[in-house]
Amino acid sequence: MNWKDWAGYYAVASYDTNHDQEYFAYRHAAGLMDATPLFKYEVKGPDSLNLLSRIMAKDIGKLRLGRVTYCCWCDDDGKILDDGTVARLGMDHFRVTAAEPFLHWFLQNARTLNVTIEDITAKFGILALQGPLSREILVHAAGGEVATLRFFRLIETRIDGRNVTITRTGYTGDLGYEIWCGNSDAIAVYDALIESGKNYQIMPAGLAALDVARIEAGFIMNGVDYFSANHCLIDSQKSTPYELGLGWSVNLERDCFIGQKALQAEKETGSSWQFVGLEYDWEAFEEIFARFDLPPQTHSGAWRTAVPVYGRSGKQVGQATSGAWSPTLKKNLALASLRNDDYSKGDALFIEVTAEYERKRCPVRVSDPMFFNPERKRGK
Amino acid sequence: MKTASKPNSSTYDAIVIGGGHNGLVCAAYLAKAGKKVLAVEKRPVLGGAAVSEETVPGFTFSTFSYVVSLFRPQIIRQLDLVKHGLQIIPMETTYNPIPGDAGLVRWADGGRTRNEIARFSKKDASLYSEFGLSMGRLSRFTKNVIDTPAPEPASLNPKELFKLLKMGKLFKDFDADMRYLNVKLMTMSAVDFLEEWFESEPLLPSMAGSGIIGTFLGIRSPGTAYVLLHHYMGEIDGAFRAWGFSKGGTGQISLACARAAVSFGAEIITDAAVERVKIRNGRAVGVVLENGGEINARTVISGLDPNRTFLKLVGEDELPASFVGQIKRYKNRGSSGKVNLALSRVPNFEDGRPGLQHLKGDITIAPSIDYVERAYDEAKYGEFSRRPFLNIVIPSLSDPSVAPPGKHVLSAFVQYAPYNIREGAGKWPEKREAFGDAVIDTIEEYAPDIRDCIIDKQVLSPWDIEKMTGLTEGNIFQGELSLEQLAFLRPVAEWSRYRSPINGLWMCASGTHPGGGVMGAPGELAAKTMLKEGGV
């Protein structure tokens, strides 16, 4: 078993010596992952909606009861701080997930509001059950109503007699659910899910497999594909939602929210960066290694050490921030930020590849970062 | 996938006979190049020997071919097969059960494998990765061979000479040791070859076993070492020696190829058996269906084996006598059968191993060299092996979609089951039950509760394989992969480049270079050759 640090917790990178089987469980059966270290906040009170609408770039005012939404939040300059989900459990009751601690930020912006904000990170466990058979397993564990739970909706139900909130969300770009339960119930719920999944080849799965799945799905990661403006030493390290391909999650036409003016201006003048997917030209990649009489060498799993991306003229035009060989798509993939925002699908660029300690340039094609998007992800 | 049984048109640029995976790959490449293509399959389902069928309600059997190794990655990319549903799940273990023992498991993890082998021989354990490295290097040479049409050594065409030189250069680039190794590989038996490294059982028979698959030879017969490499170079995602299951069964590979072909504009009909190739003035001009229908085409491409193509669909009268003689001598010699089981649970191998992880790959019944050789002895004299070599997989452990929840599918590849049994091939239906029993009895020696687990079974002798797929003598490779039938000699000398003595009639399947296995290379290379040489 391989461990890694996740926000101060030991988290499983892979249960076996390598993550392959866990990855395939995510894609062909179901993987069960402990996502508890995610930062979790409970927002309650009459002004909850106001607070979240003010913080989030997305109009949370439109979030209906029983729904979950993906969103990001920015500083005053429209630079992204973090991304996560907001779930609406009651008219005045929300839960927020974040990759980094933001209690201070929420409190600071709530000073004049009638709202309580609690860090419930250690109070709740989150189990991510992801994969094409996750629905069958959950129906077995939690009952039939899960069967009709739609994409980005939630229900409150019971597993093994314990209260759980199930959201149809995830980080694999596949059919999947996240199960919230009280910390002390988490082990029992975990065991019940494994038991229910026995006939469906469920596997405990870790972060290494997740990392490959999230790249196939084109999901960005804080600290890897972008950096929270709070942690950047220089301005150029900061990003905006538009630059990260999250423009769809920004609702400008509404009451004021943090970063609104800057984002409005960016929308009008255009962004300095564009977030894209890159697909390696495999034949060229093979050729680079063949020159050394070597078979092509891909990383085992996802990589996250940024490498330069070059234009046709040989000038650096940006950087690929993470990537992976996709065992499902049979393609070598990368997520990249490129200067200027006028790249379109199919454009030819070059990425740095190291072969036998030598730096080479491999042709790549610009693509939609959502490389893998099966119907079952959103389907009934 | 829905298919019609009648074509929309009466004339095509090309008709592909046979909806096996190679025929479909070929059809897809031709359609992609803008040709008007029709593929014609005699069965109601597509796939030929790469087919999945719900033979028992709720249970999907990969009826014949059951694992994927060599399917060419460039085909997946060029035909966009992932978009059309192809998904391959790697198999990471090889398990050799031994009654009353933990057996031998070879894992994806090298260290763990070494520890397992060390139980039987510390020397073998220390050599295992070195062997893998050598085979990997040889595979890279061979990979080059399988991804290009065979060079023609008798030709004086500078292009051909250049290809030979290129291959020669690859060979020359090997150091001396690798060159010797290559020659040994081409000439030795699987056991002799492996004994240059290893000493212990069950490692030796387990590894040598892949050298006999699909051949009518024993593990001590010269020539089997090459077949070993043919299996060893299984390649998924560019990594050698990686085998996998196609999600939903092997047929999904064929269906993905079919969907790709259709997306490029090809037409596919099923339930349409071809009775003969229409030949006018020495040129193939179309096909005549068994139902009397006639379809015309500028080019006819056969995805059937050479014997069936030339002796049954074309006819001796249309062909040069020397060619007919060669085709008649081409060895099919079906030697294997298949038993597919629907199981209520995973059988217990009583090996004391926790969990089911070690059963997720292939399970080889080959406890000793003598065991496998003895199995061959019986076959030599026209009997099926009472205790056969088995290669078993339980794909439902990796891909739950092929069986109802909690239930499983077991597929056993069985060798030897000679097509020509002593009583005559036609007597197979009477022997089938006994053959199936011999297989289940064999499994029972390793997993004593197997009979309690069986819900239903399908037993296929080579005679059944021939009846269902049309493969002559039920040979799974459309002809043995023996050295004299490979490369520029496949199927026969002078006709290794997908052409035939009949103008406008081409070949595109496992009976051509580089041979059998679900790799799609013959279909790909045939299509590319045709397009390049103006054949269509």
Side-chain angles (χ1 to χ4, degrees):
Chain A
M1 191 191 277
N2 297 305
W3 299 93
K4 65 183 284 183
D5 167 72
W6 181 7
Y9 293 89
Y10 281 119
V12 175
S14 67
Y15 287 86
D16 206 337
T17 46
N18 92 24
H19 62 273
D20 276 3
Q21 294 292 325
E22 294 162 36
Y23 164 82
F24 283 101
Y26 281 140
R27 289 288 181 242
H28 299 298
L32 183 61
M33 198 203 75
D34 181 3
T36 303
L38 267 177
F39 289 92
K40 303 177 270 300
Y41 301 100
E42 189 141 63
V43 182
K44 281 182 174 169
D47 285 331
S48 328
L49 198 61
N50 280 344
L51 172 72
L52 292 171
S53 294
R54 183 187 290 181
I55 291 174
M56 301 299 169
K58 190 178 244 179
D59 186 358
I60 299 299
K62 288 194 179 138
L63 183 66
R64 285 191 259 168
L65 195 64
R67 301 208 182 186
V68 189
T69 191
Y70 170 80
C71 54
C72 61
W73 51 102
C74 300
D75 65 10
D76 283 337
D77 300 326
K79 303 294 184 187
I80 192 164
L81 292 170
D82 201 356
D83 66 307
T85 60
V86 177
R88 187 166 196 178
L89 283 88
M91 289 315 285
D92 299 321
H93 181 192
F94 296 83
R95 279 184 197 152
V96 182
T97 63
E100 296 190 359
F102 272 94
L103 185 64
H104 66 291
W105 185 250
F106 294 159
L107 289 172
Q108 184 184 326
N109 285 292
R111 267 180 311 168
T112 58
L113 299 175
N114 183 5
V115 63
T116 60
I117 303 157
E118 188 188 355
D119 183 338
I120 55 168
T121 304
K123 240 175 153 175
F124 278 88
I126 300 182
L127 298 173
L129 180 65
Q130 303 280 308
L133 299 183
S134 52
R135 181 188 284 127
E136 277 86 349
I137 295 169
L138 261 189
V139 165
H140 192 272
E145 59 181 333
V146 179
T148 53
L149 185 66
R150 288 164 63 187
F151 194 48
F152 272 85
R153 305 284 173 98
L154 67 84
I155 49 165
E156 295 187 77
T157 177
R158 290 168 83 79
I159 290 178
D160 193 35
R162 292 147 210 270
N163 293 329
V164 295
T165 306
I166 298 174
T167 60
R168 187 164 153 195
T169 51
Y171 201 49
T172 56
D174 213 306
L175 175 65
Y177 302 84
E178 286 167 314
I179 299 117
W180 292 58
C181 56
N183 200 344
S184 56
D185 294 332
I187 290 174
V189 171
Y190 189 98
D191 289 345
L193 289 171
I194 290 287
E195 182 59 29
S196 295
K198 221 172 47 183
N199 287 338
Y200 299 91
Q201 308 306 323
I202 194 174
M203 276 189 90
L207 293 166
L210 183 74
D211 214 8
V212 177
R214 71 103 189 161
I215 286 165
E216 291 175 333
F219 293 150
I220 54 168
M221 184 176 254
N222 185 347
V224 175
D225 301 300
Y226 75 91
F227 297 95
S228 173
N230 281 348
H231 301 317
C232 293
L233 296 169
I234 49 177
D235 267 359
S236 63
Q237 291 176 335
K238 298 175 182 176
S239 309
T240 69
Y242 291 114
E243 292 171 347
L244 292 171
L246 301 180
W248 61 271
S249 76
V250 179
N251 301 126
L252 290 171
E253 309 303 322
R254 59 186 175 98
D255 287 347
C256 71
F257 65 94
I258 302 167
Q260 188 179 28
K261 271 190 192 154
L263 291 171
Q264 183 82 52
E266 184 183 341
K267 178 96 195 259
E268 282 158 19
T269 57
S271 304
S272 318
W273 291 87
Q274 183 183 355
F275 191 77
V276 298
L278 298 176
E279 289 183 3
Y280 289 59
D281 176 336
W282 184 256
E283 275 72 25
F285 186 75
E286 276 187 319
E287 186 52 38
I288 288 172
F289 288 90
R291 271 179 246 145
F292 295 98
D293 201 21
L294 285 172
Q297 290 170 348
T298 54
H299 291 256
S300 159
W303 52 266
R304 37 171 79 176
T305 311
V307 291
V309 176
Y310 302 96
R312 279 179 174 275
S313 67
K315 208 175 133 197
Q316 186 174 345
V317 295
Q319 60 274 351
T321 45
S322 55
W325 166 259
S326 164
T328 298
L329 303 175
K330 310 282 169 228
K331 285 175 180 168
N332 217 8
L333 309 174
L335 299 176
S337 282
L338 305 179
R339 276 189 200 105
N340 304 322
D341 61 351
D342 53 357
Y343 291 94
S344 44
K345 197 179 162 190
D347 285 355
L349 298 168
F350 295 86
I351 194 167
E352 184 177 289
V353 166
T354 305
E356 202 57 12
Y357 316 106
E358 288 186 20
R359 290 176 182 182
K360 304 287 176 192
R361 293 180 187 189
C362 178
V364 285
R365 297 241 168 231
V366 171
S367 109
D368 183 338
M370 201 187 285
F371 304 103
F372 178 70
N373 185 21
E375 191 144 325
R376 61 184 183 241
K377 179 175 93 177
R378 296 169 153 272
K380 282 180 185 167
Chain B
M1 188 175 169
K2 272 206 180 121
T3 43
S5 60
K6 286 204 172 74
N8 287 329
S9 174
S10 60
T11 310
Y12 292 83
D13 290 335
I15 294 176
V16 178
I17 307 172
H21 71 286
N22 274 311
L24 295 167
V25 164
C26 183
Y29 272 105
L30 295 179
K32 194 181 174 192
K35 303 296 174 188
K36 187 177 173 192
V37 183
L38 174 74
V40 184
E41 166 58 38
K42 72 165 181 158
R43 294 193 69 203
V45 285
L46 289 168
V51 69
S52 314
E53 295 166 278
E54 196 177 319
T55 310
V56 178
F59 295 84
T60 302
F61 290 163
S62 289
T63 316
F64 310 105
S65 173
Y66 54 102
V67 285
V68 206
S69 70
L70 289 165
F71 199 80
R72 311 311 304 139
Q74 70 271 18
I75 300 178
I76 299 180
R77 285 189 294 273
Q78 289 161 3
L79 301 182
D80 222 345
L81 295 184
V82 174
K83 194 177 95 190
H84 295 292
L86 176 73
Q87 293 188 56
I88 295 171
I89 311 172
M91 296 158 60
E92 295 204 333
T93 57
T94 303
Y95 173 41
N96 276 79
I98 301 173
D101 186 89
L104 170 67
V105 182
R106 287 181 280 151
W107 305 88
D109 176 359
R112 207 165 162 194
T113 301
R114 200 160 46 235
N115 292 343
E116 292 259 3
I117 298 172
R119 285 184 54 225
F120 302 95
S121 160
K122 291 198 165 57
K123 177 177 155 273
D124 288 1
S126 67
L127 267 172
Y128 189 71
S129 65
E130 202 176 297
F131 173 79
L133 190 70
S134 299
M135 293 300 267
R137 290 182 66 193
L138 281 180
S139 298
R140 292 195 50 234
F141 172 72
T142 319
K143 175 171 143 52
N144 206 291
V145 175
I146 63 177
D147 281 338
T148 42
E152 180 55 64
S155 167
L156 289 174
N157 180 334
K159 270 191 192 162
E160 291 301 314
L161 290 173
F162 181 74
K163 278 182 198 153
L164 269 177
L165 280 173
K166 198 179 154 203
M167 216 147 272
K169 185 181 176 309
L170 280 168
F171 190 71
K172 193 178 123 271
D173 285 348
F174 277 144
D175 51 39
D177 285 352
M178 291 308 285
R179 268 180 269 160
Y180 294 140
L181 191 63
N182 207 6
V183 172
K184 284 178 179 175
L185 191 79
M186 293 294 178
T187 53
M188 290 173 91
S189 78
V191 167
D192 286 343
F193 183 76
L194 288 165
E195 278 181 340
E196 299 221 334
W197 276 272
F198 305 120
E199 60 183 15
S200 68
E201 291 175 333
L203 181 66
L204 273 168
S206 151
M207 296 178 80
S210 45
I212 54 166
I213 286 178
T215 73
F216 198 81
L217 296 168
I219 49 175
R220 289 201 179 104
S221 311
T224 49
Y226 171 75
V227 187
L228 186 80
L229 179 70
H230 196 84
H231 286 86
Y232 204 93
M233 67 189 168
E235 176 190 29
I236 293 175
D237 307 351
F240 292 110
R241 188 61 184 106
W243 287 71
F245 298 111
S246 163
K247 185 175 166 70
T250 305
Q252 290 300 325
I253 298 180
S254 306
L255 291 180
C257 296
R259 286 187 208 106
V262 169
S263 78
F264 296 127
E267 203 183 316
I268 299 172
I269 57 171
T270 47
D271 277 317
V274 171
E275 188 184 80
R276 63 187 167 84
V277 176
K278 242 166 84 174
I279 293 167
R280 196 177 298 144
N281 302 326
R283 188 180 168 83
V285 293
V287 297
V288 179
L289 301 179
E290 274 180 8
N291 65 18
E294 290 194 19
I295 319 166
N296 300 317
R298 280 178 40 214
T299 305
V300 177
I301 305 151
S302 175
L304 313 185
D305 67 68
N307 184 295
R308 184 160 299 270
T309 302
F310 295 107
L311 303 184
K312 307 212 170 53
L313 299 194
V314 172
E316 291 186 34
D317 295 347
E318 302 285 348
L319 294 160
S322 63
F323 181 80
V324 170
Q326 288 199 78
I327 292 292
K328 283 186 171 169
R329 287 190 294 275
Y330 180 74
K331 287 181 298 196
N332 285 292
R333 303 200 300 186
S335 58
S336 48
K338 185 85 190 294
V339 172
N340 298 313
L341 303 177
L343 301 178
S344 58
R345 61 172 194 269
V346 179
N348 183 353
F349 280 80
E350 300 194 348
D351 47 26
R353 290 179 181 269
L356 299 170
Q357 203 65 19
H358 65 296
L359 302 176
K360 285 176 89 171
D362 72 329
I363 304 164
T364 301
I365 304 292
S368 68
I369 293 169
D370 285 349
Y371 175 98
V372 185
E373 192 65 23
R374 215 171 279 129
Y376 179 48
D377 286 345
E378 286 166 311
K380 279 187 280 190
Y381 306 108
E383 303 281 349
F384 61 77
S385 314
R386 293 283 149 188
R387 284 293 174 269
F389 165 84
L390 298 180
N391 190 247
I392 297 170
V393 291
I394 310 176
S396 45
L397 282 171
S398 311
D399 171 17
S401 73
V402 295
K407 303 202 166 46
H408 291 276
V409 166
L410 181 149
S411 147
F413 169 88
V414 190
Q415 198 151 328
Y416 298 82
Y419 175 83
N420 287 308
I421 40 173
R422 200 188 341 218
E423 299 84 343
K427 294 289 179 190
W428 256 114
E430 294 162 32
K431 302 268 267 187
R432 192 192 292 122
E433 195 62 27
F435 170 62
D437 285 343
V439 172
I440 294 165
D441 287 346
T442 305
I443 300 175
E444 199 172 27
E445 289 180 3
Y446 300 83
D449 65 340
I450 182 74
R451 284 182 199 275
D452 300 336
C453 306
I454 298 173
I455 296 171
D456 209 339
K457 66 171 194 264
Q458 178 185 36
V459 179
L460 299 165
S461 70
W463 183 86
D464 297 304
I465 295 173
E466 182 185 59
K467 273 273 165 295
M468 289 169 77
T469 63
L471 286 168
T472 301
E473 296 194 16
N475 185 293
I476 60 170
F477 290 142
Q478 288 199 348
E480 275 186 34
L481 293 182
S482 45
L483 211 50
E484 74 280 14
Q485 301 196 154
L486 284 174
F488 54 83
L489 295 173
R490 193 168 186 89
V492 297
E494 291 178 54
W495 299 104
S496 67
R497 298 288 281 275
Y498 314 102
R499 287 178 185 271
S500 77
I502 307 280
N503 276 334
L505 176 65
W506 294 69
M507 299 171 270
C508 73
S510 300
T512 60
H513 175 76
V518 188
M519 59 177 153
E524 175 205 0
L525 294 175
K528 287 178 175 171
T529 306
M530 267 182 262
L531 289 166
K532 198 166 147 195
E533 297 178 4
V536 64

